[in-house]
Amino acid sequence: LFRKCILLHAKVPPAARRSLTWTRQATAERYADHLKHGRSGAEVREFFDWLKEWKTVLSPSQSNTTQTSHWESDDDEDQGESYAERLGTVYFVSGAVGCGKTSLVTVLAHHHGFNVLEVSTAQLRSGAVLNRMLQEATQSQSVQLRGGLGSAKSRRRRSSKQTGMKPNLVLLDEVDLAFASDVGFYSTIRALVASARCPIVFTCNSVPAELRSLTWAHHLQLGTLQREKVVAWVQAVAMT
């Protein structure tokens, strides 16, 4: 454990060590690490496989398959919707505060090569804001990491197998927490889910009543971390 902490510390650039908190520097970066600390390996594996299937649909050339992207143009919309229905567009990841929900989703999504578009409770999340932030993202499937030309519509039609493209994954944190300023939060979420062409993950302590009726939704319940392992990890981090 101490050796692992040293390796993690060595990976962090000197400049980042001055700007990042120690908790961020010591965040587990591997999928295998998230199967420990009392995790349900089988349930986490189901979530892992769900992301893998979505990656295959959105970026086939990056998933060792010869099939083409199922949403390259508006003509493929019906076929794309059948894949959304089969795979399910939404995954709820629930659990107690601090159990590692967001960290788990981020690590697994990056492992599969997704571009994670995270919306946290620190941001204004009214319906209008969510539409402005996510409407294009949930329809375009991918983002271009390097500069390129073309209209927004033409970019939506490009396959994410192109160089510099990553498929989108939308992550909304703590969806069971909505403030008075978040007018239209749940109704907008339901509308985005209904038309989404990319996976959407919600973290929460428990699934809110306003979203329990969502179709094509999966659920991963994370248990609490084992205290002894957390203490051992923190002690090892402190020694580095």
Side-chain angles (χ1 to χ4, degrees), residues 130-174:
L130 286 181
N131 266 323
R132 187 165 60 249
M133 294 173 60
L134 301 177
Q135 181 65 42
E136 173 73 14
T138 57
Q139 294 300 307
S140 61
Q141 313 161 50
S142 57
V143 295
Q144 190 160 0
L145 302 182
R146 291 191 288 271
L149 300 176
S151 65
K153 185 173 183 179
S154 66
R155 287 196 301 271
R156 286 199 301 269
R157 293 188 175 184
R158 291 174 186 163
S159 170
S160 57
K161 65 185 178 181
Q162 290 178 305
T163 302
M165 302 292 284
K166 283 189 175 185
N168 286 339
L169 180 142
V170 173
L171 170 59
L172 271 80
D173 283 321
E174 307 298 344

Side-chain angles (χ1 to χ4, degrees), residues 37-40 43 94-96 98-100 220-226:
H37 308 302
R39 298 280 190 234
S40 173
E43 293 181 356
S94 64
C99 72
L220 168 61
Q221 173 73 43
L222 296 181
T224 56
L225 303 177
Q226 296 179 13

Side-chain angles (χ1 to χ4, degrees), residues 68-232:
T68 58
S69 173
H70 299 288
W71 280 321
E72 290 187 0
S73 71
D74 295 338
D75 296 334
D76 298 321
E77 184 173 351
D78 291 338
Q79 183 181 5
E81 288 178 353
S82 68
Y83 276 89
E85 184 175 0
R86 178 176 66 83
L87 294 177
T89 311
V90 172
Y91 225 112
F92 286 98
V93 178
S94 64
V97 174
C99 72
K101 301 183 291 291
T102 301
S103 178
L104 172 71
V105 174
T106 303
V107 168
L108 267 60
H110 287 162
H111 174 85
H112 287 298
F114 282 98
N115 174 63
V116 179
L117 305 174
E118 182 179 355
V119 182
S120 71
T121 54
Q123 300 167 264
L124 179 63
R125 304 197 297 183
S126 67
V129 171
L130 286 181
N131 266 323
R132 187 165 60 249
M133 294 173 60
L134 301 177
Q135 181 65 42
E136 173 73 14
T138 57
Q139 294 300 307
S140 61
Q141 313 161 50
S142 57
V143 295
Q144 190 160 0
L145 302 182
R146 291 191 288 271
L149 300 176
S151 65
K153 185 173 183 179
S154 66
R155 287 196 301 271
R156 286 199 301 269
R157 293 188 175 184
R158 291 174 186 163
S159 170
S160 57
K161 65 185 178 181
Q162 290 178 305
T163 302
M165 302 292 284
K166 283 189 175 185
N168 286 339
L169 180 142
V170 173
L171 170 59
L172 271 80
D173 283 321
E174 307 298 344
V175 293
D176 52 340
L177 181 60
F179 299 102
S181 57
D182 298 335
V183 179
F185 178 62
Y186 290 117
S187 59
T188 301
I189 285 179
R190 290 192 293 267
L192 288 171
V193 168
S195 61
R197 297 186 176 189
C198 70
I200 301 176
V201 180
F202 300 136
T203 68
C204 53
N205 296 328
S206 61
V207 178
E210 294 85 349
L211 299 179
R212 289 175 188 168
S213 62
L214 289 178
T215 56
W216 309 343
H218 305 275
H219 187 195
L220 168 61
Q221 173 73 43
L222 296 181
T224 56
L225 303 177
Q226 296 179 13
R227 180 177 299 178
E228 297 79 7
K229 291 187 177 181
V230 173
V231 170

